[in-house]
Amino acid sequence: GETFLVTAGPTREPFDPVRFITNHSSGKMGYAVAIMARRRGARVILISGPSSLPPPMDVQLVAVSSAREMRDAVMRHLDAATVVVKAAAVADYRPAVQARQKLKKKPGPMAIELERNPDIIAEIGANKNGRIIVGFAMETEDLLENARAKLETKNMDLIVANDLQEAGAGFQNETNVIRIIDREGSIESLPLMSKMEAANRILDRIKCLLMAKT
């Protein structure tokens, strides 16, 4: 009876018709959450940035490219969602100007001015309306402090934190090492496991929150 809105993958922020700014996200963690939520019986809307992963079976897939496209797709489907899992690695910044033609190589350095992208999860948190909101934090330092701050300022119920420098965690891997932090500050530290199993552990925590609401 629940509808999950899951975001996954990177975004691409073009600065000319040929090139763009992006990150190393494969989408594997978000796709794993979408697949496992569907297997548990939820309706799932998966909003995905560019990814080479096959579309999950029996999941509504919405393909986007840029952060602004992802924001618009999330807001378009938000009213249907009872649970939001924001696993996408959305670019914080985009080029302020997108050239109409390919930028040609010239002597010396080239500067590209950047401007902020929409903060999608902060916008969702400000319009929570009883939804359960789960975010992700990937860090290279001060993991728990940064994750807790993000949880609080963006009004999430849970945040899933992982350290990019930890073996087996992070982008592209089939595995992950996660810590699940709740609003009370408790931390569930999990060992190295497949992203599918990590998705199941996250869903176990979401199920507890859903049961507490009834």
Side-chain angles (χ1 to χ4, degrees), residues 1-151:
E2 306 295 338
T3 297
F4 275 63
L5 177 59
V6 182
T7 69
T11 62
R12 292 176 176 174
E13 311 300 328
F15 58 87
D16 70 12
V18 178
R19 291 162 290 195
F20 51 81
I21 298 168
T22 191
N23 57 62
H24 293 292
S25 174
S26 63
K28 290 177 181 178
M29 192 67 246
Y31 275 58
V33 172
I35 290 166
M36 291 304 182
R38 182 68 195 100
R39 288 183 184 176
R40 292 184 180 215
R43 177 194 173 208
V44 179
I45 303 165
L46 174 61
I47 300 175
S48 176
S51 175
S52 61
L53 299 173
M57 290 182 61
D58 208 18
V59 164
Q60 181 181 348
L61 178 64
V62 180
V64 299
S65 183
S66 69
R68 286 179 288 182
E69 288 176 5
M70 182 167 284
R71 182 264 171 202
D72 290 347
V74 167
M75 295 307 159
R76 195 162 58 244
H77 292 279
L78 186 60
D79 283 348
T82 55
V83 179
V84 177
V85 181
K86 192 73 178 51
V90 179
D92 293 324
Y93 293 89
R94 66 178 181 270
V97 176
Q98 183 178 345
R100 297 173 66 99
Q101 305 296 331
K102 178 184 175 183
L103 296 175
K104 304 300 289 183
K105 183 166 58 178
K106 298 178 181 178
M110 181 180 72
I112 298 174
E113 182 182 356
L114 302 178
E115 61 186 13
R116 281 291 302 269
N117 268 322
D119 190 330
I120 303 171
I121 200 160
E123 188 172 354
I124 297 169
N127 299 277
K128 199 167 184 179
N129 294 329
R131 297 180 188 90
I132 290 171
I133 302 176
V134 181
F136 280 69
M138 176 174 285
E139 303 289 347
T140 57
E141 59 182 0
D142 300 326
L143 175 68
L144 297 180
E145 294 83 353
N146 288 329
R148 282 197 190 99
K150 189 174 181 181
L151 171 78

Side-chain angles (χ1 to χ4, degrees), residues 154-170:
K154 301 186 182 184
N155 200 22
M156 303 178 205
D157 296 283
L158 298 172
I159 192 163
V160 181
N162 56 6
D163 187 338
L164 186 59
Q165 301 188 70
E166 198 163 5

Side-chain angles (χ1 to χ4, degrees), residues 174-186:
E174 299 296 334
T175 58
N176 212 345
V177 182
I178 63 172
R179 295 155 181 86
I180 305 175
I181 306 170
D182 64 22
R183 291 187 66 85
E184 286 67 48
S186 71

